[in-house]
Amino acid sequence: QVQLVESGGGLVQAGDSLRLSCAASGRTFNNIAMGWFRQAPGKVREFVAGVSWSGRSTYYADSVKGRFTISRDNAKNTVYLQMNSLKPEDTAVYYCAAGGRIGGRYPDEYDYWGQGTQVTVSS
């Protein structure tokens, strides 16, 4: 089992930055891929970013490429999502996920999910 706890969400203005954190516990963190997904009201959950178990490979949705950066600190059992140049359309609940080895874009690749943290970007 893996427990995931997200933090760092909040209300910001367009153009601001936020850094989300996801602390993992319960099993070895450094051999499992991590990902971030988001879900806006009335929309399906969508992939945002993923990082492989080693940290050497990262993947991004086209909508956040160049603005968001995913990283992991295996010593702290934590994965981060640095979000810059935020836009109102980034408003959503952001979920951390763990599973597999790749960090891909499909929810089925992940076995464990956090409770989510709200990010609201005002215009």
Side-chain angles (χ1 to χ4, degrees):
Q1 282 281 16
V2 176
Q3 291 79 44
L4 303 172
V5 179
E6 303 98 334
S7 61
L11 171 64
V12 297
Q13 293 187 329
D16 285 351
S17 298
L18 274 178
R19 188 176 81 157
L20 305 184
S21 300
C22 174
S25 62
R27 60 165 278 185
T28 304
F29 176 78
N30 59 6
N31 64 0
I32 193 169
M34 302 294 295
W36 286 97
F37 288 74
R38 67 186 181 187
Q39 188 167 17
K43 295 189 176 181
V44 299
R45 190 170 298 189
E46 66 174 359
F47 172 77
V48 176
V51 58
S52 65
W53 68 276
S54 65
R56 285 196 287 266
S57 299
T58 57
Y59 308 91
Y60 296 95
D62 288 344
S63 58
V64 307
K65 203 171 292 184
R67 299 188 298 123
F68 291 11
T69 303
I70 189 171
S71 61
R72 64 189 297 160
D73 184 340
N74 287 346
K76 295 182 178 180
N77 283 6
T78 301
V79 63
Y80 304 98
L81 185 68
Q82 178 66 42
M83 306 186 293
N84 299 330
S85 303
L86 282 161
K87 304 176 181 180
E89 50 263 44
D90 295 318
T91 295
V93 177
Y94 284 70
Y95 297 91
C96 175
R101 305 272 281 177
I102 297 174
R105 59 185 61 246
Y106 300 104
D108 287 351
E109 298 181 43
Y110 299 88
D111 302 307
Y112 307 101
W113 294 82
Q115 293 300 306
T117 184
Q118 176 70 47
V119 172
T120 303
V121 185
S122 64
S123 57

